[in-house]
Amino acid sequence: MEAAAVSCREKTGHCGGRRQERPPATNPTHLPDMKVYKEIIRYEYAPLSARHHDRGTTEPISYFYSNLEELLSWKPTSQDMFNIAVTPLAKRHPPIENQRPKTLVCHDMMGGYLEDRFIQGSDSKDPYVFYHWQYIDIFVYFSHRMFTLPPVCWTNAAHKHGVCILGTFISEWEDGAKVCESFLGGDESTYKVVADQMVSLAQFFHFDGWLVNIENVLSFFNACDGIFTNYNWKEEHLQRMSVEPRRTDIYVGVDIFARGDVVGGKFETFKSLQMIRQYGFSVALFAPGWVYECFNKEQFLENQHRFWSLLENHMFIHSLCTLPICTSFCLGRGEKRFSYGKVEDIGPWFNLSAQELQPLLSDVAFGEDVSYVRSRICPQNAWHGGNSLLIEGKLSADINGVSLRLFPLHVPAPDKLMLSMVYKLEGSPNVAVSLELSTQDSPLCNVESVTELTEPGQIHSLESLAEPPVLLLADQQHDSTLGWVKRYYEVHLSGCLLTNLSVHFSNTLPNEEEESFVCRIGEIRILDVSLPPSNPEQPSDLSLSHIHWRRDPQSNQLFVSLTLRWSHTMDRIRHFRIYCLGVTCHRAPASQPHLLGLAHARIYRVVDLAVPDPCKPSPGRLEFAVQPVNKDVAEILPIVWGNLVLEFVEQTHTEV
């Protein structure tokens, strides 16, 4: 499990179960402002809201509201903190306000709130994930609950790619009509209080608005940003609507399941899109989880790729607009979890908050299909997280090299860029790998690499530095012997707009014989280094709350669950690593720190951490530490012990 520490989904230390990385032993260094919590072990249930936490494990979960009364009674509490998305909506080009036709994806799958409800992740083996964000403008989390709040992991993943995410208010059938009548049939103040509460929820939890799904008789296109039509349309309906000046605000619905008398659907959904785009409308793709629900789940990634590749010609690509760009291509799921190319945790895991920027996936053929290059997401190997980018290709003897576009960009270039790539190359030793940076053609544009490439142009092949830059020297402590290679590029620019980042494969022995290759790209970063980097900061104000003790009646093992919180800026944080130093006393040697899990926010629920009984007369002692991992520097701050200490004793009874 990505971040629900030491539960049945990720057992470490005294819990047994999975094998975990254990950092080298350190001497605890206590800070002057060290917080020490003293607790008496009590076994009554912790004061946790059943709406916010799983009843069996106390893990934090995402939730919904079933009726108006629940919606109107909501007031923010401290237990809502887990559900607040921490990833801001990234800028992209063109922005949502652009008038070109848009693509909306409405995620309706098996009732919603499945494994994605576990905010800190789960151990789901073959979960559904979405990763074709560059093609869509709006993502709707849909279920048949009256007020569906998007699970926080979906908001984090969508915002990372610049995609707006909406919750759903649905009113269906006769009961729905009565609900609408109850708050729309009165004066303005009656429905305004509902609207205000919905706005407050979106603002508090950091999602971007609502799909208002009224399946009753109303017409209100003039009062909304856009309308999502039903699915049983024909071409004559599109013709009739084509006179509407707000055509791009009409999202023509397409049911991927192809239920009823509809155009296209399933693997022929491209027929629907082709007709809709012909008339200049936007499109709403409903229930794309069809490729997951109706096929072998072990083949999901292949079917997902097939489905979306058939739609590519009828969708528009968006470009990334800000730096830094840092990605390990992780989907937010994995068969194992990797750190610096080495296995850190075995067993399946799933957490969409851990999803990183996804590239364009392509199949490109050259020279009568003799030469080709194609890319997929690889679930078997990774540099970080659970996945890498797998690129396979073949270069014929008469082709020197091919390029594969990974990321479309729309970024005003800083004066100095630092790029890095981690990859693993298999197959022919005569194939070389490099990065390629494209800039907008401009008479003022000048690109100069470390090899003093000064010819202005649109595509610039970069040559790697002979030595790693000082900025990334700390990266070398994680050198792997598992075949991963690191390359660094320093580029000086002026007056440029970055437009594409590609990877280039070249034949080092051209005109001799064809060369085949397999390349896994583990990580790519593009950093603005025109100014000196700021020093990384340590988390502060670490605190704990909602402690729950449990003793297993069969093994007599003592377990503790608790919530950790801390302060730290989030703008360039990749994640936090949460460590614990176990109980120490005069009867037992000091335990080594071990990794509990990863947090993607400034809050973390430790679940069922197995601890030894306190050694009388000394109290039991746990020390927790939070280690930030940044996007823009390789340096990992050392684990600082004594951030927070929990001392605990058994409850004593006085005899009379």
Side-chain angles (χ1 to χ4, degrees):
M1 178 167 132
E2 176 62 21
V6 208
S7 70
C8 59
R9 293 183 169 85
E10 182 178 56
K11 296 182 178 179
T12 62
H14 300 285
C15 292
R18 300 181 186 171
R19 188 175 65 248
Q20 280 277 351
E21 172 203 51
R22 291 189 179 268
T26 58
N27 293 322
T29 302
H30 302 299
L31 302 180
D33 59 349
M34 176 182 67
K35 293 183 180 178
V36 179
Y37 289 77
K38 298 180 183 292
E39 289 287 326
I40 297 175
I41 299 173
R42 296 182 175 89
Y43 297 105
E44 60 266 25
Y45 197 75
L48 295 173
S49 161
R51 182 185 294 279
H52 298 84
H53 296 83
D54 181 75
R55 294 188 180 186
T57 65
T58 77
E59 296 177 49
I61 56 174
S62 294
Y63 62 90
F64 53 85
Y65 291 117
S66 299
N67 51 55
L68 274 177
E69 291 73 22
E70 290 182 359
L71 174 86
L72 295 175
S73 64
W74 172 78
K75 293 181 180 179
T77 71
S78 61
Q79 297 189 54
D80 279 317
M81 297 299 107
F82 281 102
N83 278 282
I84 298 177
V86 297
T87 305
L89 181 62
K91 293 181 180 179
R92 55 176 3 201
H93 180 79
I96 189 71
E97 297 80 15
N98 188 274
Q99 291 303 303
R100 76 179 185 182
K102 301 174 182 64
T103 300
L104 178 150
V105 166
C106 191
H107 176 67
D108 172 44
M109 195 180 73
M110 303 167 68
Y113 297 102
L114 304 174
E115 293 296 316
D116 54 4
R117 75 185 186 277
F118 292 106
I119 295 173
Q120 296 185 160
S122 77
D123 62 356
S124 180
K125 184 177 185 298
D126 293 300
Y128 176 83
V129 293
F130 181 82
Y131 49 94
H132 290 80
W133 299 104
Q134 64 272 24
Y135 295 117
I136 73 167
D137 300 87
I138 299 171
F139 185 90
V140 178
Y141 194 84
F142 182 93
S143 78
H144 287 271
R145 318 291 184 175
M146 182 167 285
F147 296 96
T148 298
L149 310 181
V152 65
C153 63
W154 280 101
T155 304
N156 285 332
H159 281 185
K160 202 170 293 184
H161 294 84
V163 175
C164 296
I165 185 165
L166 309 182
T168 304
F169 164 46
I170 187 169
S171 167
E172 300 176 285
W173 315 114
E174 292 183 7
D175 289 341
K178 293 177 182 177
V179 170
C180 288
E181 184 178 353
S182 69
F183 73 93
L184 293 175
D187 57 24
E188 179 179 347
S189 61
T190 306
Y191 61 79
K192 191 174 185 300
V193 68
V194 176
D196 287 347
Q197 189 76 329
M198 291 170 66
V199 170
S200 296
L201 280 167
Q203 291 177 337
F204 183 82
F205 292 116
H206 295 174
F207 60 96
D208 305 298
W210 295 86
L211 170 70
V212 180
N213 186 3
I214 303 290
E215 298 189 5
N216 312 314
V217 179
L218 289 172
S219 172
F220 46 91
F221 180 46
N222 292 335
C224 63
D225 297 318
I227 193 166
F228 181 157
T229 76
N230 213 329
Y231 315 111
N232 56 347
W233 49 267
K234 299 298 179 186
E235 185 170 8
E236 55 265 29
H237 297 109
L238 303 183
Q239 292 173 338
R240 200 157 57 235
M241 292 191 299
S242 63
V243 298
E244 169 59 52
R246 293 178 59 194
R247 275 184 295 177
T248 59
D249 293 334
I250 299 175
Y251 294 79
V252 180
V254 176
D255 180 11
I256 308 302
F257 278 80
R259 289 164 284 205
D261 184 15
V262 297
V263 176
K266 301 182 178 179
F267 283 122
E268 293 189 339
T269 298
F270 67 90
K271 294 181 178 179
S272 313
L273 262 70
Q274 185 176 22
M275 190 177 294
I276 292 167
R277 297 304 197 204
Q278 177 184 342
Y279 291 94
F281 294 110
S282 294
V283 65
L285 300 175
F286 185 76
W290 170 78
V291 297
Y292 178 82
E293 293 186 54
C294 296
F295 295 91
N296 187 332
K297 292 178 175 52
E298 293 182 357
Q299 303 299 317
F300 165 64
L301 293 181
E302 291 86 347
N303 290 324
Q304 177 92 321
H305 178 79
R306 177 188 172 194
F307 176 81
W308 286 93
S309 63
L310 290 169
L311 306 184
E312 287 177 358
N313 292 335
H314 309 292
M315 295 189 294
F316 301 95
I317 295 174
H318 297 81
S319 301
L320 304 176
C321 290
T322 55
L323 299 177
I325 292 171
C326 175
T327 182
S328 65
F329 308 101
C330 182
L331 294 179
R333 57 172 274 180
E335 298 173 1
K336 303 173 183 176
R337 190 168 63 217
F338 293 80
S339 180
Y340 295 100
K342 299 178 181 178
V343 175
E344 181 172 69
D345 189 14
I346 58 175
W349 63 273
F350 168 57
N351 188 342
L352 277 176
S353 288
Q355 187 178 99
E356 299 204 330
L357 284 174
Q358 295 301 303
L360 295 173
L361 300 177
S362 306
D363 290 295
V364 182
F366 304 87
E368 299 181 353
D369 296 345
V370 176
S371 297
Y372 68 89
V373 60
R374 57 172 173 255
S375 59
R376 301 287 188 275
I377 296 297
C378 171
Q380 283 81 36
N381 208 338
W383 178 247
H384 284 304
N387 313 99
S388 57
L389 179 64
L390 177 66
I391 303 176
E392 301 173 288
K394 182 169 68 174
L395 304 178
S396 61
D398 58 340
I399 291 184
N400 293 338
V402 296
S403 294
L404 191 70
R405 183 168 65 151
L406 300 180
F407 294 104
L409 307 174
H410 190 84
V411 181
D415 293 337
K416 185 178 178 182
L417 280 178
M418 184 69 66
L419 294 87
S420 66
M421 174 173 62
V422 180
Y423 69 93
K424 182 185 294 189
L425 189 62
E426 302 169 5
S428 172
N430 301 321
V431 173
V433 186
S434 62
L435 288 181
E436 217 170 53
L437 191 64
S438 301
T439 61
Q440 188 178 65
D441 235 354
S442 166
L444 299 177
C445 179
N446 184 62
V447 176
E448 184 177 352
S449 78
V450 292
T451 56
E452 297 187 347
L453 172 68
T454 57
E455 290 296 322
Q458 195 169 7
I459 299 177
H460 312 277
S461 296
L462 306 181
E463 296 190 17
S464 62
L465 293 167
E467 298 290 337
V470 174
L471 172 69
L472 301 178
L473 273 176
D475 202 22
Q476 302 310 299
Q477 64 182 306
H478 301 290
D479 278 338
S480 174
T481 59
L482 302 176
W484 292 101
V485 177
K486 302 172 186 175
R487 292 287 181 262
Y488 303 94
Y489 309 85
E490 186 177 277
V491 185
H492 299 266
L493 310 103
S494 60
C496 295
L497 183 71
L498 307 181
T499 56
N500 283 298
L501 179 70
S502 305
V503 61
H504 183 77
F505 298 93
S506 58
N507 190 341
T508 59
L509 297 176
N511 303 320
E512 293 191 9
E513 59 182 24
E514 68 179 32
E515 303 286 351
S516 298
F517 64 89
V518 175
C519 181
R520 286 180 176 84
I521 302 182
E523 183 181 73
I524 283 180
R525 285 187 288 182
I526 309 177
L527 310 178
D528 176 1
V529 291
S530 54
L531 296 175
S534 56
N535 293 325
E537 60 175 306
Q538 290 280 5
S540 60
D541 302 323
L542 189 60
S543 64
L544 67 81
S545 62
H546 299 100
I547 299 176
H548 177 224
W549 298 95
R550 180 179 72 84
R551 188 175 290 279
D552 184 83
Q554 294 181 336
S555 65
N556 202 37
Q557 175 66 62
L558 179 64
F559 296 89
V560 66
S561 299
L562 53 89
T563 297
L564 297 173
R565 296 181 187 176
W566 58 92
S567 298
H568 198 278
T569 57
M570 291 296 297
D571 54 345
R572 297 199 169 184
I573 283 294
R574 205 167 185 173
H575 54 251
F576 299 95
R577 295 169 68 85
I578 314 300
Y579 288 92
C580 179
L581 192 67
V583 172
T584 60
C585 67
H586 69 277
R587 298 183 191 174
S591 62
Q592 292 184 336
H594 60 268
L595 178 67
L596 298 181
L598 308 185
H600 300 275
R602 291 164 293 201
I603 188 170
Y604 184 84
R605 180 72 181 165
V606 177
V607 178
D608 270 357
L609 176 63
V611 296
D613 289 320
C615 305
K616 296 179 180 179
S618 300
R621 184 182 180 92
L622 294 175
E623 295 190 29
F624 295 94
V626 177
Q627 182 186 48
V629 179
N630 294 324
K631 297 176 184 177
D632 54 350
V633 293
E635 180 180 359
I636 303 296
L637 288 172
I639 304 170
V640 177
W641 291 109
N643 280 3
L644 183 145
V645 173
L646 172 62
E647 293 184 350
F648 55 95
V649 296
E650 288 280 4
Q651 188 169 12
T652 58
H653 300 279
T654 304
E655 295 185 3
V656 295

